[in-house]
Amino acid sequence: MSTSLLNTLAIASTLVYQCAAFSPSALSNRHHRISSIELHADATTSAEGPPLNPLLSQIKPSKTVEVFSLVKQMEAEGESVTSLCVGEPDFAPPLSVLDAATEAMKAGQTRYTAVTGTADLRNAIAEDLKTRKGVEYNPVTEIVVGNGAKQCVYQGLLASCGAGDEVIVPAPYWPSYPEMALLVGASPVVLETAVEDGYLINPDELDKCLADHPKAKVLMLCNPSNPTGGVHSTELLTKIAKVLEKYPNVVILADEIYERLVYTEDGKCTSFASLPGMWERTITLNGLSKSHAMTGFRLGYLAAPARFAKAVSVLQGQITSCASSVSQAAGVAALKEVDESWLENNVVIMKEKRDYVLSELGKMEGVSVAVPPNGAFYVLPDVSKYYNGDDTQLCLDLLKRKKLALVPGESFGAPGTVRISYATSMEELEVAMTKLREFLESL
């Protein structure tokens, strides 16, 4: 490994991966947070030129992106790296999706669409939600197509909260949630969950959290969860909804991007908006990246009551305007032409990979997974018996010595763990598990 890259890794260790900023004590003192990178975001002109936006001093880079960037840099320098750090399926999109994109370009569908998306795609989304999830939305006024689900999450937050508000973020969390809350001027409030509960939300703890934070305006609900793979059952979601009845001003941002990847016996993932009294206050976020392997198409959507959807469409009109017309044509094909058996087969394959990873982790001394994940394609094992719980250093040394890339759990609000994405080939997983076992045995 080159000296320059080792220096980069060292900087990443000491600067980028300082994730304790979302502990309760740090959150109460967030104005004193040290930026991950010196951004010269003060009121005076630096030696490098005019100052940047002071808001940047509060925002940290995406840790997954940072690790992925390091991997790509290593590969560019000729090194072979085994990477389990990115949540991206290893299979290709269905052929009908690729054909639809090609035909759209040939047919001249290469111009702007309506900001909210093409009528064909919004109709297809509405029909899918009604048929599969039991929730009804007007495709004209209650669905907005965005440039990936990530944009929809951000715009949903921007439409529903702002300065002085608080956003409840259950931990472990997708690292973008608290950062997005800060970007819209709100304050993230971490709701801790218990490993013995599979990192699922405890309704009683949620009740206490909301009672202690009267400024809470939004609850982030990622189901199935990134990074844990946990799936909230219908029964548990119903209990959560019962708690929320006491707090009518709280909006639920239901991130359901992994809902087609569930490994329970019934394969069910209940839409939060389908529960009694929740449709009116829920912003549902979804897309085709995980289910149909369309990550590069950058296509997501938001479904919500008209007043939320209208607000989001106004924001999107000033930020990016419409999603790609070609991607939208591919999205219609994904929802209307892909046979259900194709999706079901991918679930079977993903479950086999999950089971293999869990089996291998179970053979490693000092590594534990208290509750097997039932969704998405992640495992978040506890490795706190190594490195005195310093998961960041563990990941850095693992990358340096074994060329295996994992993401430190600290960046997800789960110190002492690492996130493993098993959305890759079985051959790659076998190599990765061997490298991890050999590394831990050498300590």
Side-chain angles (χ1 to χ4, degrees):
M1 186 180 299
S2 68
T3 302
S4 62
L5 183 54
L6 285 174
N7 289 338
T8 302
L9 287 169
I11 293 171
S13 172
T14 57
L15 297 179
V16 175
Y17 290 0
Q18 296 302 313
C19 302
F22 292 112
S23 65
S25 60
L27 281 170
S28 66
N29 194 31
R30 69 188 184 91
H31 292 294
H32 297 286
R33 291 169 57 189
I34 299 174
S35 173
S36 301
I37 302 172
E38 180 52 62
L39 295 171
H40 301 290
D42 53 35
T44 60
T45 301
S46 72
E48 298 175 0
L52 300 175
N53 187 336
L55 178 64
L56 291 170
S57 66
Q58 300 182 46
I59 308 302
K60 298 191 300 298
S62 165
K63 311 308 177 295
T64 306
V65 171
E66 290 289 336
V67 174
F68 186 63
S69 297
L70 289 172
V71 169
K72 289 303 176 184
Q73 183 179 342
M74 292 173 69
E75 290 176 341
E77 295 182 359
E79 301 198 57
S80 177
V81 181
T82 304
S83 176
L84 303 182
C85 66
V86 177
E88 182 173 48
D90 65 311
F91 49 86
L95 183 59
S96 57
V97 169
L98 301 178
D99 288 344
T102 301
E103 289 305 313
M105 288 186 283
K106 288 181 178 179
Q109 296 179 32
T110 55
R111 299 183 178 277
Y112 294 132
T113 73
V115 169
T116 54
T118 64
D120 285 347
L121 181 53
R122 284 182 280 120
N123 285 330
I125 291 169
E127 181 61 28
D128 182 61
L129 288 172
K130 179 181 178 181
T131 303
R132 289 194 311 106
K133 310 299 288 184
V135 286
E136 294 191 37
Y137 293 94
N138 185 322
V140 177
T141 61
E142 295 174 338
I143 291 176
V144 179
V145 176
N147 295 274
K150 193 168 192 174
Q151 178 180 17
C152 296
V153 174
Y154 175 63
Q155 291 176 166
L157 269 173
L158 193 56
S160 55
C161 66
D165 294 328
E166 294 179 326
V167 176
I168 307 300
V169 182
Y173 45 71
W174 184 41
S176 291
Y177 290 151
E179 301 300 332
M180 287 180 178
L182 291 169
L183 279 171
V184 305
S187 299
V189 174
V190 172
L191 171 63
E192 299 292 347
T193 60
V195 62
E196 58 268 22
D197 293 333
Y199 294 117
L200 301 177
I201 295 174
N202 181 307
D204 292 334
E205 293 302 316
L206 174 62
D207 194 1
K208 293 177 185 175
C209 183
L210 290 171
D212 290 341
H213 294 276
K215 294 182 180 180
K217 189 70 181 296
V218 173
L219 168 66
M220 300 302 306
L221 177 60
C222 187
N223 189 43
S225 167
N226 174 10
T228 71
V231 179
H232 293 72
S233 66
T234 303
E235 180 183 5
L236 179 54
L237 290 174
T238 301
K239 291 179 180 178
I240 291 171
K242 193 68 177 175
V243 169
L244 288 165
E245 289 177 2
K246 298 167 58 177
Y247 306 94
N249 291 326
V250 175
V251 176
I252 301 89
L253 258 64
D255 186 345
E256 299 175 359
I257 190 71
Y258 295 97
E259 53 97 10
R260 297 303 305 254
L261 294 167
V262 175
Y263 316 121
T264 55
E265 200 166 307
D266 61 5
K268 186 177 182 181
C269 182
T270 299
S271 176
F272 197 75
S274 70
L275 300 176
M278 293 298 111
W279 186 93
E280 296 79 7
R281 51 195 294 199
T282 299
I283 297 175
T284 299
L285 307 149
N286 210 327
L288 304 166
S289 295
K290 315 300 182 180
S291 58
H292 293 74
M294 294 173 64
T295 52
F297 284 80
R298 304 314 305 134
L299 195 66
Y301 69 82
L302 175 151
R307 67 190 187 96
F308 289 120
K310 176 62 176 176
V312 167
S313 68
V314 170
L315 291 169
Q316 184 163 306
Q318 298 298 343
I319 298 173
T320 62
S321 191
C322 64
S324 161
S325 58
V326 175
S327 294
Q328 292 188 64
V332 173
L335 293 172
K336 299 183 71 172
E337 298 180 24
V338 177
D339 194 87
E340 191 69 17
S341 62
W342 185 88
L343 293 156
E344 292 171 351
N345 184 60
N346 287 330
V347 171
V348 171
I349 293 172
M350 282 294 186
K351 184 178 183 297
E352 291 174 352
K353 294 176 181 179
R354 179 205 67 166
D355 292 345
Y356 170 75
V357 169
L358 289 174
S359 175
E360 291 301 302
L361 292 175
K363 301 173 186 176
M364 299 179 196
E365 185 177 351
V367 178
S368 62
V369 179
V371 179
N374 280 321
F377 35 64
Y378 305 110
V379 179
L380 194 73
D382 186 308
V383 292
S384 60
K385 292 185 179 179
Y386 296 95
Y387 283 82
N388 294 317
D390 188 345
D391 51 270
T392 295
Q393 193 59 51
L394 185 153
C395 286
L396 290 169
D397 286 352
L398 181 61
L399 182 58
K400 175 183 175 182
R401 291 167 51 184
K402 302 297 289 187
K403 308 297 189 296
L404 173 60
L406 305 179
V407 186
E410 189 177 18
S411 61
F412 300 98
T417 69
V418 293
R419 193 191 73 170
I420 295 173
S421 169
Y422 51 86
T424 187
S425 68
M426 186 61 79
E427 293 75 17
E428 191 84 343
L429 286 175
E430 290 172 355
V431 171
M433 291 299 101
T434 298
K435 286 184 175 183
L436 180 59
R437 184 184 67 254
E438 292 175 348
F439 173 74
L440 295 178
E441 288 175 350
S442 70
L443 300 177

